[in-house]
Amino acid sequence: MARIGVFVCWCGENISRTVDVDRVVQEVAKLPGVRCAINYRYMCSDPGQTMIRERIALEKLDGVVVASCSPHMHLRTFRKAAQTAGLNPYMLEIANIREHCSWVHPDRDEATAKAIDLIRLAVAKVKNNHPLEPIKVPVTRRALVVGGGVAGIQAALDIADAGYEVVMVEREPSIGGKMAGLSETFPTLDCSQCILTPRMVDVGQHPRIKLYTYSEVEAVDGFVGNFKITIRQKARYVDVTRCTGCGECSSACPLKKNKSEFDLGMGTRSAIYMPFPQAVPARPVIDKNVCAKLTRNKCGVCAKKCAAGAINYEDEDKLVKEKVGAVVLATGFKLYDIGKKDGKIAGYGEYGYGKYKDVIDSLQFERLVSASGPTNGEIKRPSDGKTPKNVVFISCVGSRDNAKGLPYCSKICCMYTAKHTMLYKHKVHDGQAHVFYMDIRSAGKNYDEFVRRAIEQDGAMYYRGRVSKITEQNGKLIVRGADTLAGVPVTIEADLVVLAAAMRPADGVTELAQKLNVGYDEFGFLLESHPKLRPVETNTAGVYICGAAQAPKDIPESVAQASAAASKVQITLAASKLTRSPEIARINEKTCAACFRCYETCPYHAIEKAEVRTRKGVLVKRTARVNVGLCMGCGTCVSACLSKSADIEGFTEQEIYAMVESLI
Amino acid sequence: MVQTDSISDLEFLAQTKFADCYQCGKCTAGCPRSAHMDKTPNQLIRLVQLGDIDTALKTNAIWQCVSCETCTTRCPKTVDCEGIIDALRQMSYERGMASKQQDAVVLFQKAFLDNVRRNGRMNEIQMIARYKIEGFAAIRRLGFLFNGAMLAPRMHMRNKLHIIGEKVRDRGVVRRIFARCMDGKA
Amino acid sequence: MNLGYYPGCSLHGSSDDYQQSLKACFDALGVSLKELDDWICCGATAAHTLNRKLSIALPARNLALASQQGCEELVAPCSMCSMQLKKAQKAMAKDAALAEEMGRIVEAQPNDTHVLNLLQAFDRVGLETIKAAVKEPLKDLKVACYYGCLLTRPPEVVGFDDCEQPVSMDKVVEALGATAVAWNYKTECCGAGMTLASEETVLDLSHKILADAAAHGAQCIAVACPMCNVNLDMKQSVIEARYGVKYGMTIYYLCDLVGLALGLTPKTLGINRHFVARKA
């Protein structure tokens, strides 16, 4: 016979003002199985909880119903109280007589009657509950970091310094990301590579970081604590263990006029090349689409020149498997393609990007300014190599543009545009920078002062208005803009135009997200669990995000998020076993017909196709089996199951039907 | 923005939302006539956003617009800027608020419509004659009367002067269409 | 091929050399143009600046006539007419109540006639067909293709070619063996219907077009609109006098060039009726 205790809370007067709590207690005490029914002003308070604990001991209760506010508020509180008193926490149910009753029904009699019914339901359920134990899942105490930009580097270093092994996968031949290509960073004008490359070297040399560059994540299997990652190491055609990074191969290579990816097309590189001198790893790679040996079996000069015998034309892609317990996605961003249409995102035909050589984007300008860039830091027009005396910078190209398809603000452009005007002025003393802007977004520490410095001290001319069109006349770019503050159109004859293109997520991130069951928005930015309170977690347990992959942001924010993601990873990896809620699906393998409708419908891929065999290995039957590490207890399998073999622990069909029948 | 009856009427005429405009100025930047306007396109929209329709209705700017659709095409917020200027013109005309300086333009459009109303199609000579006479009465500049007259002989030599214009057969329906649209008849 | 034909007031008036050229050219291409019976004025600039309902009703009447006369495709060679017809169609497609109201006002129901501007008409005929029919390629002719405003803008209404860097006219010109020059004023306004109402506007804007075409080495400018033609051709001498410049830039309708390449004489095409004497 059940021994249920019912505890009705007044919730101050939130409940008691509308619901007659004395009458409720009177009525529910009559329910079969109820040993005691008490009401109290604040059940969640210490005295309230103490009351529950004492009653459990006194009346030897085997089930508890707390009639109070929503379980969202205090389910955990009351379950802990029960556990302390020696009662399994899953033998406690909440009847929500506040949000579902006193707060929405003004009539006292009706509300009271409903409260009694709600408690009746809860009592019927708890009588059918059985004790549940949290599930323990073993954890592989290693992490995967996808992306070797500043965010990925920070996350990897934090996790590795905490004592865990990190596998880092980077698509490019070197880590460093976009930050490695910048000239200086705002607001301090620190040399970007000078502050980044020590970190890159740390990653390259860290005893606990296993670095795969020129590699991509091919497949992901498993679940939090137990991910199995397949990594594709693309063929470099260079044996990195033998190569000394001397650079003879690149010098000897006759094919020198290929557009350099690192210089964003502003410079050239050989067919065998190191992306930049500070690359980590400092090893070259052969561009297989261009190399004469690999495409037409001619040349082979680099192999002849290589003293270390490190060139290997027979190299092939390799598939490597790694086991990790947590994943951090730090895939970064790319710039919006100004000249072309990309699906529903339109380009800016009116700005002539791609048509006029002297119209470039902001990252390309960084390469011009950068001391290690294609012009050795001298600002030169791409068309004729002359020094531009009038440079126009245009903000919001692609961003904040509903018509083109990207309505959001890219956050960093106001700051880097101000930076660009300053760097330009520092190099071309008699030059004039012109900036067309809509607003100035400079909300960070020392940011607004930085922008004012560009205007007040370095003479940048700011026009408040957009640019309508750019045409070319006699070697100059005619920029037609406006200044809405003075209410006039403004036309500038520029030598060079720099477009602040929108930030978009890196290519291929949506495919990667699908492999990990991570959501992304309509623009491809990875989805955080909660925009305010959980910015680096995703809805997939064990997968975390950071940096520009989540939303446009600058370096300090990327670094902060990376450390945040690293700390979440450490929480996951800290225990040798992960505890999970037991309120997940359970399949009765005896009755399972192995139709696998549950397998087809499970949104978390948490159902496995298993076989039941005798000890001799003879197949007895096939069955569906729940992966207790992945299941999120959504109940889809329960509704899909035709043989009624699937059920949710803590919300079994028996428990639910008992509730329904208690009302009839 | 504050909504009044006039603003609602204007928004209905323009078929575009005024609140969407974030005053970026791209319309002004691309407008071929903005340098000659007393209020630039974005300023016209700003006046409307502020509720000051009257000032907008009295500007020269709205009659200087050549309806090239550059503003509408390039607007990042898909605001139909040309549509707003059309709406301002329609409302200005209806309320008789067009400025005197713009008589030349307003009278031209009016002469055009009167001519079509009568014939169903444009009779150029008839329309120009009427326009010049009415326009002179309003503007009182001799130059206005004779401007463009020099081209007439050359047009005649090229058989481009059709003294007798065409008339549509069913002129009744044309008149009824005009009456329904402009005179509020059923 | 049979296409409906909506001339518009200009092509029956002072720009009937455009109609002459169009008919001769399409005839030579094997396209028969059937003029819409009892068409009325589309309202042009006057209607849309003075009265919204009228600006939709006048085109709606023509669209209704086209439906009644079984016309599925209607060529409107004047870019203003084609824009008014298309805009009216779009407004009525978006708003069923408006479409119904228009039906009552114009005493007939407009249907889904496909309106084609001159560029779309040539596209409909097909570049390959035109190329195959060329008898006298226009070798060494440098043409500045002038699209103006309403042939490609606004893109949601026209839905043809690119509105910032259009190429449809350039492709036709190149199919004729000529060279389409790269220049900056492809889509800048000429002043449109302001020829009489605000001559200063037209002189200023059209001057810039002529200057840019000349600066980019064009020997002639091709247009596909009677107003552009009037502003660039008829007003050219006025512009030259006003700004103290000399261009002598031949202005062709696009169908003039096609006709010439097909072997038709300038007289047949009405080119002798242009103001600026033909040089190139």
Side-chain angles (χ1 to χ4, degrees):
Chain A
M1 186 58 193
R3 303 176 70 86
I4 313 290
V6 179
F7 301 86
V8 179
C9 186
W10 297 22
C11 197
E13 50 157 48
N14 274 302
I15 292 175
S16 59
R17 187 178 355 137
T18 316
V19 172
D20 183 345
V21 289
D22 287 328
R23 205 163 92 73
V24 167
V25 155
Q26 243 183 340
E27 289 303 310
V28 303
K30 297 177 193 159
L31 292 170
V34 173
R35 299 292 301 174
C36 66
I38 305 173
N39 66 37
Y40 182 63
R41 198 181 216 96
Y42 294 110
M43 207 57 84
C44 57
S45 64
D46 260 353
Q49 291 182 55
T50 307
M51 188 187 304
I52 297 176
R53 289 200 300 270
E54 285 176 351
R55 282 289 170 159
I56 290 174
L58 189 65
E59 303 271 4
K60 297 196 193 14
L61 300 176
D62 60 16
V64 166
V65 170
V66 178
S68 62
C69 55
S70 162
H72 272 222
M73 314 299 295
H74 284 301
L75 179 60
R76 216 179 293 178
T77 317
F78 292 126
R79 278 192 173 159
K80 270 213 194 102
Q83 191 162 27
T84 320
L87 180 66
N88 183 287
Y90 295 93
M91 299 305 288
L92 182 142
E93 290 291 331
I94 300 230
N96 182 349
I97 60 170
R98 190 181 76 172
E99 281 87 338
H100 285 186
C101 192
S102 70
W103 271 2
V104 294
H105 299 302
D107 183 282
R108 196 175 169 78
D109 287 333
E110 287 178 357
T112 307
K114 181 169 175 180
I116 294 170
D117 276 340
L118 287 171
I119 295 171
R120 191 198 316 275
L121 284 173
V123 167
K125 180 168 195 293
V126 91
K127 278 194 214 166
N128 285 278
N129 281 12
H130 46 263
L132 298 172
E133 294 299 328
I135 295 169
K136 302 247 186 238
V137 173
V139 176
T140 308
R141 298 169 97 183
R142 298 168 90 228
L144 169 71
V145 174
V146 183
V150 66
I153 287 171
Q154 182 66 47
L157 287 173
D158 281 357
I159 299 170
D161 283 345
Y164 301 101
E165 249 184 49
V166 176
V167 174
M168 182 186 265
V169 175
E170 164 55 53
R171 185 159 62 182
E172 298 298 319
S174 165
I175 58 174
K178 297 291 183 293
M179 192 177 166
L182 300 181
S183 173
E184 277 103 326
T185 57
F186 56 78
T188 50
L189 294 185
D190 274 322
C191 156
S192 181
Q193 279 194 355
C194 304
I195 56 177
L196 181 67
T197 47
R199 294 286 181 93
M200 287 165 60
V201 170
D202 282 347
V203 167
Q205 294 181 347
H206 204 292
R208 279 187 291 278
I209 298 181
K210 201 167 174 190
L211 182 58
Y212 291 97
T213 53
Y214 210 48
S215 304
E216 294 191 55
V217 170
E218 177 104 338
V220 177
D221 250 319
F223 53 96
V224 60
N226 297 274
F227 289 110
K228 293 193 203 57
I229 314 284
T230 308
I231 299 167
R232 174 180 292 273
Q233 259 189 311
K234 297 183 284 198
R236 263 185 198 254
Y237 305 98
V238 171
D239 183 341
V240 299
T241 54
R242 287 191 178 178
C243 170
T244 58
C246 71
E248 284 286 321
C249 48
S250 313
S251 311
C253 177
L255 298 171
K256 288 199 167 21
K257 290 287 174 67
N258 309 292
K259 279 205 152 100
S260 160
E261 291 86 348
F262 188 72
D263 284 335
L264 298 158
M266 306 292 283
T268 55
R269 57 151 175 84
S270 326
I272 181 168
Y273 67 103
M274 202 134 79
F276 52 99
Q278 303 83 349
V280 169
R283 301 285 180 267
V285 64
I286 298 184
D287 179 353
K288 69 175 187 218
N289 297 318
V290 166
C291 168
K293 179 74 178 173
L294 293 174
T295 52
R296 302 169 274 141
N297 205 13
K298 294 244 150 76
C299 186
V301 162
C302 53
K304 293 186 196 116
K305 281 280 180 169
C306 179
I311 311 288
N312 172 17
Y313 299 118
E314 318 303 321
D315 200 4
E316 279 175 350
D317 289 0
K318 279 192 270 301
L319 290 177
V320 184
K321 291 208 198 295
E322 292 281 358
K323 285 203 177 110
V324 297
V327 178
V328 176
L329 297 177
T331 48
F333 72 96
K334 69 170 184 185
L335 281 189
Y336 154 76
D337 196 334
I338 305 169
K340 288 206 280 282
K341 206 167 182 300
D342 177 12
K344 277 199 255 169
I345 313 294
Y348 270 70
E350 59 265 47
Y351 288 175
Y353 182 82
K355 190 171 168 206
Y356 305 127
K357 277 191 152 164
D358 296 323
V359 176
I360 59 177
D361 69 29
S362 42
L363 278 181
Q364 290 174 318
F365 186 73
E366 290 277 348
R367 293 314 300 149
L368 283 184
V369 179
S370 176
S372 62
T375 57
N376 292 317
E378 282 187 47
I379 302 181
K380 293 189 176 150
R381 278 158 48 103
S383 61
D384 57 12
K386 295 211 179 95
T387 307
K389 297 293 183 192
N390 279 288
V391 180
V392 168
F393 299 89
I394 304 181
S395 306
C396 306
V397 179
S399 311
R400 302 180 64 189
D401 198 323
N402 296 60
K404 302 292 184 195
L406 299 177
Y408 56 83
C409 166
S410 290
K411 200 163 191 185
I412 59 171
C413 331
C414 287
M415 286 305 295
Y416 72 58
T417 296
K419 177 188 79 173
H420 285 171
T421 65
M422 287 157 75
L423 296 177
Y424 168 65
K425 187 68 173 184
H426 297 173
K427 298 203 178 207
V428 183
H429 300 301
D430 59 343
Q432 177 64 56
H434 309 263
V435 177
F436 283 94
Y437 73 101
M438 284 204 282
D439 297 287
I440 303 289
R441 287 163 183 196
S442 52
K445 192 165 176 176
N446 293 318
Y447 280 17
D448 204 62
E449 298 92 311
F450 181 80
V451 177
R452 290 312 305 171
R453 185 176 136 198
I455 298 170
E456 292 165 14
Q457 276 162 34
D458 284 336
M461 186 62 212
Y462 271 62
Y463 308 91
R464 200 255 162 214
R466 274 209 194 228
V467 167
S468 182
K469 192 167 173 146
I470 298 176
T471 49
E472 198 179 50
Q473 198 122 21
N474 301 327
K476 289 233 185 239
L477 294 161
I478 313 297
V479 177
R480 299 224 291 245
D483 184 288
T484 62
L485 299 175
V488 293
V490 172
T491 304
I492 311 277
E493 280 187 24
D495 298 312
L496 179 68
V497 174
V498 181
L499 305 174
M503 273 174 105
R504 295 187 68 191
D507 278 332
V509 73
T510 53
E511 286 82 4
L512 178 64
Q514 283 172 14
K515 290 180 184 149
L516 284 152
N517 272 330
V518 168
Y520 46 88
D521 67 14
E522 63 199 283
F523 309 111
F525 288 112
L526 299 175
L527 275 181
E528 62 287 312
S529 276
H530 190 277
K532 289 284 198 194
L533 298 179
R534 298 170 72 186
V536 297
E537 297 160 83
T538 65
N539 282 336
T540 304
V543 181
Y544 307 98
I545 54 179
C546 61
Q550 182 250 350
K553 58 175 62 74
D554 57 21
I555 293 166
E557 287 170 335
S558 297
V559 169
Q561 272 201 345
S563 289
S567 84
K568 296 291 179 190
V569 166
Q570 288 171 59
I571 295 172
T572 307
L573 302 182
S576 57
K577 284 196 186 291
L578 270 180
T579 307
R580 301 196 75 223
S581 161
E583 285 166 318
I584 57 170
R586 172 197 69 198
I587 292 180
N588 183 339
E589 300 193 0
K590 293 201 179 72
T591 58
C592 172
C595 71
F596 297 123
R597 284 181 97 209
C598 54
Y599 176 87
E600 304 291 328
T601 51
C602 175
Y604 298 96
H605 305 295
I607 306 277
E608 286 160 359
K609 292 184 180 176
E611 291 175 345
V612 179
R613 290 180 180 273
T614 65
R615 242 185 293 220
K616 293 226 176 86
V618 175
L619 181 66
V620 173
K621 70 172 295 191
R622 288 184 221 281
T623 178
R625 189 171 291 160
V626 175
N627 180 324
V628 301
L630 274 174
C631 175
M632 299 295 274
C634 71
T636 305
C637 55
V638 179
S639 50
C641 181
L642 296 171
S643 61
K644 293 215 171 290
S645 305
D647 216 344
I648 301 281
E649 296 278 32
F651 294 93
T652 62
E653 299 222 337
Q654 191 168 334
E655 290 160 16
I656 307 291
Y657 279 118
M659 290 167 79
V660 173
E661 280 167 9
S662 76
L663 283 180
I664 302 174
Chain B
M1 43 173 286
V2 178
Q3 207 74 10
T4 65
D5 279 343
S6 288
I7 294 186
S8 302
D9 288 342
L10 200 66
E11 235 173 7
F12 175 75
L13 279 179
Q15 290 286 298
T16 191
K17 263 180 70 189
F18 300 148
D20 282 357
C21 168
Y22 58 13
Q23 290 293 304
C24 73
K26 196 166 178 183
C27 47
T28 298
C31 173
R33 299 300 291 162
S34 58
H36 303 259
M37 290 177 168
D38 48 354
K39 292 278 180 222
T40 59
N42 76 283
Q43 287 180 325
L44 288 171
I45 302 180
R46 188 60 187 157
L47 284 168
V48 171
Q49 285 179 331
L50 292 172
D52 184 4
I53 297 193
D54 268 18
T55 306
L57 292 174
K58 290 185 193 147
T59 58
N60 295 334
I62 57 177
W63 299 103
Q64 282 166 352
C65 163
V66 287
S67 303
C68 72
E69 302 275 353
T70 302
C71 49
T72 296
T73 302
R74 295 208 181 124
C75 176
K77 294 290 282 173
T78 64
V79 172
D80 186 356
C81 180
E82 197 275 340
I84 295 176
I85 297 190
D86 256 352
L88 286 169
R89 288 190 277 221
Q90 290 158 14
M91 202 182 259
S92 178
Y93 177 69
E94 195 192 8
R95 295 183 185 186
M97 288 169 77
S99 72
K100 282 244 126 251
Q101 287 166 287
Q102 298 307 309
D103 270 343
V105 177
V106 181
L107 285 173
F108 178 85
Q109 313 297 9
K110 186 168 181 305
F112 189 106
L113 284 187
D114 285 346
N115 192 279
V116 172
R117 186 173 195 155
R118 195 182 318 152
N119 302 309
R121 295 176 192 173
M122 170 55 47
N123 286 187
E124 286 165 346
I125 304 301
Q126 202 183 69
M127 189 271 285
I128 290 172
R130 165 95 179 272
Y131 168 57
K132 289 291 183 184
I133 294 169
E134 274 189 8
F136 181 65
I139 296 171
R140 298 208 169 275
R141 264 190 291 113
L142 224 52
F144 175 83
L145 251 188
F146 296 109
N147 192 17
M150 294 205 304
L151 285 172
R154 294 171 73 192
M155 283 177 75
H156 179 62
M157 285 197 323
R158 291 161 172 77
N159 278 321
K160 284 183 171 226
L161 276 187
H162 303 290
I163 305 289
I164 307 205
E166 296 179 351
K167 280 193 194 325
V168 161
R169 286 192 320 270
D170 187 354
R171 291 192 290 288
V173 73
V174 176
R175 291 203 195 112
R176 288 193 295 279
I177 291 173
F178 268 82
R180 286 170 188 140
C181 295
M182 300 197 80
D183 306 336
K185 298 251 179 359
Chain C
M1 193 183 292
N2 295 319
L3 296 174
Y5 171 49
Y6 175 82
C9 307
S10 301
L11 271 80
H12 273 210
S14 57
S15 295
D16 62 349
D17 51 346
Y18 188 4
Q19 177 170 260
Q20 182 181 346
S21 170
L22 180 78
K23 284 192 168 165
C25 170
F26 272 53
D27 204 45
L29 284 170
V31 178
S32 117
L33 292 173
K34 183 161 176 274
E35 185 167 325
L36 194 64
D37 182 49
D38 218 26
W39 56 269
I40 65 173
C41 174
C42 71
T45 309
H48 78 71
T49 53
L50 298 189
N51 187 292
R52 177 176 182 247
K53 273 199 189 155
L54 192 68
S55 71
I56 301 173
L58 294 176
R61 172 77 190 159
N62 290 298
L63 292 167
L65 289 173
S67 302
Q68 280 175 357
Q69 295 168 31
C71 166
E72 283 175 356
E73 289 169 303
L74 190 65
V75 177
C78 166
S79 72
M80 171 60 84
C81 298
S82 71
M83 175 55 49
Q84 290 310 106
L85 289 166
K86 286 172 194 270
K87 264 195 172 173
Q89 267 182 334
K90 193 144 196 271
M92 290 189 289
K94 223 174 63 162
D95 185 348
L98 178 71
E100 215 192 286
E101 191 189 4
M102 284 300 139
R104 272 184 283 115
I105 291 178
V106 309
E107 299 171 14
Q109 203 58 41
N111 263 335
D112 285 321
T113 304
H114 198 153
V115 177
L116 305 167
N117 61 36
L118 186 70
L119 302 178
Q120 288 173 307
F122 277 121
D123 182 67
R124 179 77 178 81
V125 169
L127 267 185
E128 292 310 313
T129 311
I130 297 172
K131 224 183 196 166
V134 169
K135 294 205 184 76
E136 289 164 36
L138 306 173
K139 269 190 309 182
D140 304 325
L141 185 64
K142 296 201 184 64
V143 185
C145 292
Y146 177 62
Y147 294 77
C149 308
L150 305 177
L151 290 172
T152 58
R153 286 197 297 268
E156 323 80 74
V157 177
V158 182
F160 178 73
D161 208 351
D162 183 278
C163 62
E164 297 295 352
Q165 316 277 0
V167 292
S168 51
M169 204 192 299
D170 297 57
K171 284 201 182 134
V172 172
V173 159
E174 280 170 4
L176 305 175
T179 310
V181 301
W183 62 309
N184 294 329
Y185 273 67
K186 266 186 173 178
T187 57
E188 301 294 323
C189 185
C190 66
M194 295 291 211
T195 318
L196 278 170
S198 175
E199 198 194 24
E200 289 308 308
T201 304
V202 164
L203 296 181
D204 175 35
L205 296 178
S206 294
H207 172 223
K208 291 184 173 130
I209 295 166
L210 290 167
D212 193 75
H216 283 83
Q219 294 165 303
C220 60
I221 299 179
V223 302
C225 165
M227 290 183 296
C228 301
N229 183 279
V230 163
N231 292 338
L232 293 171
D233 179 52
M234 193 173 359
K235 290 284 195 181
Q236 198 172 129
S237 58
V238 182
I239 292 171
E240 287 175 334
R242 171 65 58 89
Y243 294 101
V245 285
K246 267 242 155 317
Y247 294 120
M249 177 82 67
T250 314
I251 310 293
Y252 287 115
Y253 293 108
L254 183 61
C255 37
D256 286 340
L257 290 175
V258 177
L260 287 172
L262 293 178
L264 301 175
T265 66
K267 190 140 183 265
T268 314
L269 294 162
I271 292 176
N272 56 317
R273 298 171 65 196
H274 294 185
F275 271 67
V276 177
R278 179 180 179 222
K279 267 202 255 161

